[in-house]
Amino acid sequence: MDITHIEHIGIAVKSIEEQLPYYEEILGLKCYNIETVEDQKVKTAFFKVGQTKIELLEPTSDDSTIAKFIENRGEGVHHIAYATKSVKEALKKAEEKGVQLIDKEPRKGAEGLNIAFLHPRSTGRVLTELCEHPEK
Ligand code: ZN
């Protein structure tokens, strides 16, 4: 799949504002971007840790998948996102190997990345995102 690194780790939170002090004051990370992704009904906050990011995900609506995740499993790690050179190619390879896909085609995620999710049923219950920086 040409995975180069972990792009980010997504963490489901009830409130970004309530969690900010932990990330900024305790861990000493700096939140450099807060962005709402309308079609996913989430507000996201990003922190850089080397070349990997932490992405906090706060639901903006009760029918958001993040709201459902928190309801069922509580706050915590939601997904791991791997950077790959081509999401399209990676999806093709995964599908050929029988991996169940959530997204058959790449779509736009936060920060303008091309993203797609693999189904946790095929990934040992870890929701897995593939992403690609469009400029590369
Ligand atoms: Zn993500």
Side-chain angles (χ1 to χ4, degrees):
M1 280 198 188
D2 284 327
I3 286 169
T4 54
H5 61 282
I6 293 178
E7 214 283 335
H8 63 268
I9 296 172
I11 298 174
V13 300
K14 287 180 188 159
S15 160
I16 285 173
E17 203 188 325
E18 273 175 32
Q19 291 302 323
L20 273 182
Y22 167 67
Y23 289 92
E24 296 204 305
E25 286 157 35
I26 312 278
L27 295 182
L29 304 174
K30 176 103 191 74
C31 175
Y32 69 92
N33 185 23
I34 291 188
E35 179 184 344
T36 298
V37 184
E38 296 293 348
D39 68 330
Q40 290 174 55
K41 297 174 181 164
V42 287
K43 189 165 129 188
T44 59
F46 288 93
F47 307 83
K48 279 200 179 90
V49 188
Q51 65 175 347
T52 300
K53 297 162 200 159
I54 297 294
E55 175 187 36
L56 300 184
L57 301 152
E58 174 191 318
T60 57
S61 153
D62 287 343
D63 63 346
S64 157
T65 56
I66 298 300
K68 286 177 196 144
F69 178 90
I70 292 172
E71 211 181 288
N72 294 332
R73 297 172 65 170
E75 293 176 289
V77 173
H78 177 259
H79 66 273
I80 307 282
Y82 296 96
T84 174
K85 284 170 190 153
S86 165
V87 172
K88 211 177 167 68
E89 281 296 307
L91 283 178
K92 212 174 110 190
K93 280 183 195 164
E95 197 169 31
E96 278 166 13
K97 297 202 161 145
V99 172
Q100 198 174 333
L101 309 180
I102 292 177
D103 300 298
K104 299 243 175 216
E105 292 289 330
R107 58 187 166 90
K108 282 282 172 216
E111 301 199 303
L113 297 181
N114 297 323
I115 65 158
F117 283 93
L118 306 180
H119 200 287
R121 209 170 287 147
S122 298
T123 62
R125 309 308 306 173
V126 178
L127 180 60
T128 300
E129 178 181 352
L130 300 169
C131 50
E132 166 198 341
H133 288 267
E135 67 271 14
K136 275 178 197 162

